[in-house]
Amino acid sequence: NAGVTQTPKFQVLKTGQSMTLQCAQDMNHNSMYWYRQDPGMGLRLIYYSASEGTTDKGEVPNGYNVSRLNKREFSLRLESAAPSQTSVYFCASSIKREGENTQYFGPGTRLTVL
Amino acid sequence: QKEVEQDPGPLSVPEGAIVSLNCTYSNSAFQYFMWYRQYSRKGPELLMYTYSSGNKEDGRFTAQVDKSSKYISLFIRDSQPSDSATYLCAMGSGSNYKLTFGKGTLLTVNP
């Protein structure tokens, strides 16, 4: 049982390049999330998927797209990377119930945009 | 006023000390509360989940929620160097999928 896995662990891009961050969970969770974490800013929600087939914007969605490929997988795409997108990206998953949303996080992807 | 306020520290204590970490919040709709531990260059790891006001204990960790004061705390007894990490509070409400996180407190426990 690996929990939440993310690939790649590290990535360096040039401005304008595109890339997709991959996330998978094996906990049979319905909901999945993408966050970015920057010094002094804390964790900020980019996009989330309440269930397979649905996606919604979070706090900072500009410059990103997502795909909920199936129940297990949720990818984050940067179409034209910018230096402001240099960050650590975390994927998370949860079984969302009324009164509970315990999220489990992956190990993160460190992205640098030059 | 920010929704969640958390003292960023850094907090440095000797091994064996009792540590108190705190968050205050302004949104009275928050119903459930969590504490995460994040080691350097790792993902956040769930430590404690609480729903109601009062205390919840798990080993050396105690989570306390005071909804009337909009204040939550995490106590660590007999702190160990392995407790050195950033601690994040998080809270949510009802059917809302979004959690609100504090910015984290960096704790160092010195041997």
Side-chain angles (χ1 to χ4, degrees), chain A residues 64-102:
Chain A
Y64 305 95
N65 286 301
V66 290
S67 295
R68 183 73 183 267
L69 304 169
N70 48 55
K71 190 172 185 179
R72 290 187 63 246
E73 297 173 290
F74 188 37
S75 63
L76 178 72
R77 182 160 178 84
L78 287 70
E79 291 290 352
S80 179
S84 61
Q85 294 178 305
T86 293
S87 188
V88 183
Y89 291 86
F90 291 103
C91 177
S93 70
S94 73
I95 295 179
K96 175 70 180 79
R97 290 187 278 252
E98 180 67 25
E100 182 180 354
N101 187 12
T102 307

Side-chain angles (χ1 to χ4, degrees), chain A residues 32-53:
Chain A
M32 298 185 73
Y33 311 81
W34 277 106
Y35 291 89
R36 60 178 290 173
Q37 188 176 41
D38 303 287
M41 301 295 289
L43 281 164
R44 292 184 291 170
L45 183 64
I46 304 171
Y47 271 93
Y48 69 99
S49 170
S51 60
E52 187 178 352

Side-chain angles (χ1 to χ4, degrees), chain B residues 30-96:
Chain B
F30 288 140
Q31 295 175 301
Y32 51 89
F33 307 88
M34 286 157 283
W35 285 96
Y36 287 85
R37 177 176 62 195
Q38 185 175 21
Y39 291 116
S40 181
R41 305 179 79 84
K42 301 290 186 184
E45 168 195 13
L46 179 69
L47 268 182
M48 302 284 282
Y49 164 84
T50 54
Y51 183 83
S52 55
S53 284
N55 293 350
K56 180 178 180 180
E57 190 173 318
D58 184 0
R60 295 184 296 109
F61 298 91
T62 299
Q64 187 176 80
V65 174
D66 182 344
K67 289 187 178 179
S68 61
S69 301
K70 299 190 182 67
Y71 188 89
I72 67 170
S73 299
L74 178 71
F75 297 97
I76 307 174
R77 289 185 300 280
D78 188 25
S79 57
Q80 302 295 309
S82 59
D83 296 326
S84 298
T86 297
Y87 290 79
L88 305 164
C89 63
M91 42 201 81
S93 60
S95 58
N96 197 334

